[in-house]
Amino acid sequence: MKKGTNDIKVLVCCHKKAEFPKGEIYLPVQVGALRSDIDLGIQRDCEVNGCLCDNISCENNIYCEMTASYWAWKNINKLFQDIQYIGLCHYRRYFNAGWNFWDKGRYAIKCIRNKWISMATNTVLTTEPVRVIDSLQEKEFINNTSKLENVIRNHDVVSTYPCKITNCNTEFFFQIIGQVYIRVLTEVVDSLFPKYSLAYHEQLKSSEIYAQNMVVMRMEIFDEYCTFVFSVLSEHKSLIKERNICIDPSSEGIYDRVSGYLAEILTSTFVRYAITKYDVGFVGKYFLNG
């Protein structure tokens, strides 16, 4: 097998027509395919070779990009038998292996080149090291693909540098989706996965978070990660329904995107845990403008 063809796959989540990177390590995946009236002509998060498979595609409204991670966890080895590394990014956010973390420039508004992207949530501001590009055909991005491949091969886990939350911690920041959801999440992590509890509570208190569920891992670690994340999210959804916080979390608008947001806390928790156990590398992000 030629390296760089089938042993690394970075899923590129997408729900609409978009520009996709050319590198062989990337695998564009249509998320929420079972809920969509369009077919983007790329890998769907509900199929393997055109046949339905184990998936949560119909719950993309609550799990967001994580329906692609679930699909890969359960099915990607059926397509790529020599797979060794699995990762996740977005159709507008990509890993930047050439980012110099200390060359931050100044705080900037979204889409200022080579600066920090700033995003406001009510009165709370988050900033992340992002280089904005106008096309995936730019030479810098194309050259980045081989650099990224080398970074992946030289680490067990690759994460992006953390976003910084201004004037509050992770727990407060995510309470915008509902305090009760965070309380139940804490209960589930502490009861089902106590080995992650220390990292989880450190994350809640931290003003830095490894955001957007963007990670790459060796296959066996990806299995460990997905077992943790999806077990917690499934139990969370069950408890929310059992306690009548939502009658049906999968269909009520009040629960839309909640599992995806909670997954960010869990992914960041896992990265913190992984730092104590595995070789973890860090890269920046590209943001595709337009």
Side-chain angles (χ1 to χ4, degrees):
M1 178 192 69
K2 177 185 175 183
K3 281 190 174 182
T5 55
N6 292 328
D7 63 331
I8 298 176
K9 289 300 172 187
V10 178
L11 314 178
V12 182
C13 302
C14 187
H15 64 279
K16 62 181 182 180
K17 289 184 179 180
E19 179 185 9
F20 297 121
K22 302 296 184 182
E24 292 179 325
I25 68 171
Y26 297 108
L27 178 64
V29 177
Q30 181 177 349
V31 293
L34 279 179
R35 298 171 57 91
S36 177
D37 294 329
I38 62 173
D39 186 344
L40 298 178
I42 58 178
Q43 176 61 54
R44 296 162 64 87
D45 67 349
C46 58
E47 297 179 352
V48 172
N49 292 325
C51 298
L52 285 177
C53 61
D54 188 354
N55 73 88
I56 54 172
S57 178
C58 63
E59 295 188 283
N60 177 255
N61 60 311
I62 63 173
Y63 280 95
C64 306
E65 67 272 7
M66 295 303 289
T67 62
S69 289
Y70 184 93
W71 171 85
W73 179 36
K74 297 296 185 179
N75 301 285
I76 199 170
N77 60 351
K78 300 171 187 174
L79 294 177
F80 307 104
Q81 296 181 355
D82 297 308
I83 191 81
Q84 295 181 37
Y85 301 89
I86 300 177
L88 178 78
C89 65
H90 306 252
Y91 70 101
R92 296 184 73 179
R93 280 186 171 87
Y94 294 89
F95 297 99
N96 179 355
W99 178 268
N100 179 356
F101 184 66
W102 301 110
D103 183 21
K104 299 174 183 176
R106 59 180 176 82
Y107 289 120
I109 302 302
K110 179 177 174 181
C111 294
I112 301 299
R113 280 184 170 275
N114 209 20
K115 304 295 184 181
W116 281 54
I117 284 183
S118 297
M119 302 166 290
T121 304
N122 286 351
T123 59
V124 179
L125 188 70
T126 63
T127 59
E128 58 180 336
V130 174
R131 177 165 172 77
V132 180
I133 56 176
D134 295 321
S135 171
L136 299 181
Q137 303 308 311
E138 291 185 18
K139 185 176 180 180
E140 176 186 327
F141 182 84
I142 293 173
N143 292 339
N144 173 74
T145 299
S146 59
K147 294 178 183 178
L148 176 61
E149 183 178 339
N150 288 333
V151 172
I152 292 171
R153 293 190 190 283
N154 284 302
H155 296 88
D156 299 320
V157 176
V158 175
S159 172
T160 56
Y161 289 114
C163 294
K164 297 180 182 295
I165 308 171
T166 304
N167 297 329
C168 74
N169 59 26
T170 300
E171 182 174 11
F172 181 85
F173 180 76
F174 278 90
Q175 282 182 2
I176 190 173
I177 67 174
Q179 293 182 8
V180 65
Y181 297 143
I182 306 300
R183 289 199 300 268
V184 174
L185 185 71
T186 301
E187 177 186 336
V188 174
V189 171
D190 286 344
S191 61
L192 293 187
F193 290 95
K195 77 173 185 177
Y196 300 110
S197 287
L198 177 60
Y200 173 79
H201 287 279
E202 287 178 348
Q203 182 58 61
L204 289 186
K205 295 176 183 177
S206 177
S207 61
E208 295 187 340
I209 185 167
Y210 304 99
Q212 289 119 23
N213 296 309
M214 289 178 63
V215 284
V216 186
M217 304 175 188
R218 285 195 288 110
M219 185 69 175
E220 62 271 25
I221 302 174
F222 184 73
D223 178 72
E224 179 184 358
Y225 160 72
C226 287
T227 298
F228 167 55
V229 171
F230 289 109
S231 296
V232 170
L233 294 179
S234 178
E235 179 65 12
H236 186 276
K237 187 158 63 77
S238 295
L239 288 177
I240 292 298
K241 183 175 181 179
E242 177 184 310
R243 296 173 184 179
N244 293 319
I245 298 169
C246 288
I247 297 174
D248 185 1
S250 295
S251 62
E252 284 190 63
I254 192 174
Y255 203 76
D256 274 359
R257 304 183 67 84
V258 167
S259 295
Y261 285 129
L262 297 181
E264 288 195 75
I265 300 176
L266 298 176
T267 297
S268 197
T269 294
F270 191 86
V271 172
R272 286 176 177 271
Y273 169 81
I275 290 170
T276 69
K277 187 176 181 181
Y278 303 116
D279 182 356
V280 180
F282 295 92
V283 296
K285 293 190 186 87
Y286 282 111
F287 183 88
L288 179 61
N289 201 5

